[in-house]
Amino acid sequence: MPIWTSHGDGRTVEPGAVVKPHERLGWPATIAIGAQHVVAMFGATFLVPLLTGFPVSTTLLFSGVGTLLFLLLTGNRLPSYLGSSFAFIAPILALGPGDGKALQTGEQISQALLGVFVAGVLLAGIGFLVQATGTGWIEKLMPPVVSGAIVALIGLNLAPVAWTNFQQDALLGAITLAACILFAVFFRGFLGRISIFLGVVVGYVVAALLGRVDWSGVADAAWIGLPQFHLPAFGDAHAWAMLPMFLPVILVLIAENVGHVRGVATMTADPSINTRTGRALIADGLATTIAGLGGGSGTTTYGENIGVMAATRVYSTAAYWVAGLVAILLAFSPKVGAVIFAMPGGVLGGVTTALYGLIGVIGIKIWVDNQVDFSRPVNQYTVAVAFVIAIAGFTMNLGTLSFGAIVLGTVAALVIYHLGNAIARARNTGADDGGPIVPIGPLGGDPENVG
């Protein structure tokens, strides 16, 4: 078991003081803060299985297990919750029945799990490479203009899915969307950061009051039971053919983890935390791999939980042990999963209209924060081509291989940027210096965002 030193009297935080990762408050206060982390992660974490058709309880289980594994592998010195990554939504839905509908069968879930599993293995492998060589090559591969484009195009590519859900019940969609916006605008700090979660709660309550919730599945579900497990479809040719759809997700997960580590290092004024970047990538990769083996969605570090730390100034990893254990306990209640799956499509449409747009905004914020120069044609075309590919839903089939818009948009952004700058250097006109990867949260959101 990890051991923490008490901060001060172990109960309170003096004004301006910081509780560092290796410290903790008294256990009652630590448990209370851990509960806040559960609330912060819950809104985004449960939305992924709800949108994709993955079992909610299983996803919660592997997010909790992944969080504990992350804490162990980073030496219990890097606070983070590993929740469901939104970067996986688009490739998972590509294996479904179409029109943005969630996966309907166990076979489809198993096919998607192959992509989750492989993405996790590759991410862990990159983590070992970073552990040995550092992060410089990542910054050169994905400078701000490219990383911002990749993040944004994932949200834009999902826009039609939001409309598909919204039009199922426009009234509920509008109420949910309005609630998300109002909570974000009127509340600061913790409540503002969980505006997506609160908006969903409002939409769900209104739907229940209007009699638009089918409670039959909730009534039949047991209070206590095992999560529903699935194995990846290792022998399915179609699943392997769709695997390229998952590869761009790895780039997003790298950026999220690197950004998370730097964000925590800055907030705690402890530069040594940056040396744990490789471990963070390994841990997230292994957590995603394990989730893929059992039926959970891929994981990533969560900006919502960074928001909780920024608000409380408590960075103790003890609180994350509490959050991970609570998530695991919730996973063994089928009733919880049934309540979530009973949510009407209109509510989903409202929340995803905001959520997918926010993903796009996060990408744009990366450009703003890094002062990307869009007077340069190479930067203009890097983004322009990637965006149109994503929004229009370009596809390409090469034999049995199928490449979707996210794959094609990501490749286009990388090729146009690097080829364009190579030509510019050859003509002695100069090129961007790459610049650092900035914290972008869990595709996630940045520390001031949700989702």
Side-chain angles (χ1 to χ4, degrees), residues 113-390:
L113 287 174
L114 177 65
V116 174
F117 171 81
V118 173
V121 171
L122 293 177
L123 181 62
I126 291 171
F128 283 110
L129 181 61
V130 169
Q131 188 74 5
T133 64
T135 61
W137 64 275
I138 295 178
E139 296 167 357
K140 291 296 183 182
L141 176 66
M142 293 193 304
V145 66
V146 174
S147 59
I150 293 173
V151 172
L153 69 84
I154 289 178
L156 297 176
N157 178 252
L158 289 167
V161 177
W163 171 239
T164 297
N165 288 320
F166 195 99
Q167 61 186 335
Q168 293 182 36
D169 193 321
L171 176 61
L172 289 179
I175 291 173
T176 304
L177 177 58
C180 291
I181 296 171
L182 290 174
F183 276 113
V185 171
F186 282 105
F187 291 95
R188 296 181 180 273
F190 179 67
L191 289 180
R193 292 186 179 99
I194 63 170
S195 59
I196 293 291
F197 175 70
L198 296 176
V200 170
V201 171
V202 169
Y204 203 148
V205 170
V206 171
L209 293 175
L210 295 177
R212 300 183 185 182
V213 180
D214 181 2
W215 298 109
S216 59
V218 178
D220 295 338
W223 282 102
I224 299 175
L226 290 175
Q228 183 180 4
F229 296 105
H230 294 274
L231 295 174
F234 289 112
D236 191 307
H238 179 62
W240 286 101
M242 297 295 287
L243 193 59
M245 294 282 293
F246 289 83
L247 299 183
V249 173
I250 300 170
L251 300 179
V252 177
L253 297 180
I254 291 172
E256 288 175 348
N257 278 275
V258 172
H260 178 86
V261 173
R262 290 182 176 176
V264 173
T266 299
M267 291 187 294
T268 59
D270 184 1
S272 67
I273 287 179
N274 286 317
T275 63
R276 299 179 187 270
T277 300
R279 290 190 182 189
L281 292 168
I282 293 169
D284 191 13
L286 291 178
T288 296
T289 300
I290 293 171
L293 281 173
S297 182
T299 61
T300 190
T301 52
Y302 257 32
E304 289 90 336
N305 296 94
I306 286 185
V308 174
M309 291 190 288
T312 62
R313 300 182 69 81
V314 177
Y315 303 94
S316 172
T317 54
Y320 283 97
W321 280 88
V322 172
L325 291 171
V326 170
I328 292 172
L329 291 175
L330 287 174
F332 288 92
S333 176
K335 187 78 75 176
V336 172
V339 169
I340 294 171
F341 263 111
M343 187 179 302
V347 176
L348 286 177
V351 70
T352 52
T353 297
L355 194 62
Y356 297 158
L358 287 173
I359 294 173
V361 171
I362 292 167
I364 294 171
K365 188 175 184 297
I366 292 175
W367 303 331
V368 174
D369 290 346
N370 289 273
Q371 300 180 332
V372 173
D373 183 6
F374 278 106
S375 68
R376 299 190 69 240
V378 66
N379 289 344
Q380 295 173 8
Y381 281 99
T382 295
V383 174
V385 174
F387 273 18
V388 170
I389 289 174

Side-chain angles (χ1 to χ4, degrees), residues 12 15 19 27 56 59 61 77 82 114 149 218 225-226 245 258 280 290 338 346 349 360 379 382 419 422 436:
T12 60
V19 180
W27 281 113
V56 174
T59 298
L61 171 65
R77 291 297 182 267
L82 292 190
L114 177 65
V218 178
L226 290 175
M245 294 282 293
V258 172
I290 293 171
N379 289 344
T382 295
L419 181 60

